[in-house]
Amino acid sequence: KLETMQLSNGALAYWQGSDTESWWGTAYACHFMIEAQKADYEVNATNLGRLLEYLNNRANKRETSNDTYYDENNNRITRVIASREGIYGLYVLALAGKANRSVMNYYKSNEQLLTQDERYLLAAAYSLVGDGKSYTALLPKNYINTRYDRQTDYSFSSPIRDQALVLNTLIESR
């Protein structure tokens, strides 16, 4: 089914028959194709390769987005962050053995662009490539989720999703 949703640029459409790419959906599907491959399921290497190429090309753009959320006092907070899809894509690339070290280093040197869950994803990407020093430097000392709302952008971010990704990255990077 995923193969029928793949577009000419390697991305996946969110809906079958659509010609609109879903960056987040592509990273998510690619992640689980890698997990399926690790569990000895047959995965089409050509399609997986095109997904990874798409993620790498998007990561190279170093895109940012506005992150708007409400804190525990119901204050609306907006800040510029690294796109959640981009950081997730970097993690997926590292998981596949195709890490984009250049872009990883860019975000490591611009930590102010990273949300807490993005720090975990980037730290885990470094761990997956054997860079324990960068892993330790990026890994937050404790996890405090200051977000209380579900995001309505294309990242599907929520406090529960953030915590699940943190847990997944900690499991994968140990």
Side-chain angles (χ1 to χ4, degrees), residues 56-162:
N56 191 56
N57 290 338
R58 285 300 297 257
N60 282 330
K61 294 179 181 181
R62 302 173 185 181
E63 297 174 59
T64 59
S65 63
N66 288 328
D67 186 39
T68 302
Y69 61 95
Y70 294 89
D71 67 13
E72 66 277 0
N73 296 317
N74 209 29
N75 296 315
R76 186 173 184 207
I77 311 292
T78 301
R79 65 180 263 226
V80 175
I81 63 167
S83 83
R84 291 183 182 280
E85 300 90 342
I87 300 299
Y88 184 34
L90 287 172
Y91 169 72
V92 172
L93 286 165
L95 193 60
K98 308 249 183 225
N100 186 327
R101 293 293 294 260
S102 173
V103 177
M104 289 167 56
N105 289 336
Y106 169 79
Y107 286 117
K108 184 174 81 169
S109 65
N110 290 282
E111 286 185 54
Q112 75 279 3
L113 293 174
L114 300 174
T115 61
Q116 196 164 40
D117 57 298
E118 289 176 329
R119 287 176 59 109
Y120 277 95
L121 283 168
L122 190 58
Y126 275 106
S127 178
L128 290 167
V129 299
D131 185 345
K133 184 176 179 183
S134 293
Y135 170 79
T136 302
L138 282 165
L139 198 65
K141 303 304 176 231
N142 57 15
Y143 183 77
I144 301 170
N145 189 352
T146 58
R147 296 178 57 154
Y148 292 90
D149 63 325
R150 183 184 182 285
Q151 297 297 289
T152 56
D153 59 12
Y154 293 101
S155 74
F156 306 105
S157 181
S158 72
I160 292 171
R161 185 230 48 135
D162 294 350

Side-chain angles (χ1 to χ4, degrees), residues 9-11 21 23 26 50-58:
N9 66 354
E21 67 187 53
W23 188 8
T26 300
R50 292 180 62 220
L51 292 171
L52 292 166
E53 184 178 338
Y54 170 81
L55 292 179
N56 191 56
N57 290 338
R58 285 300 297 257

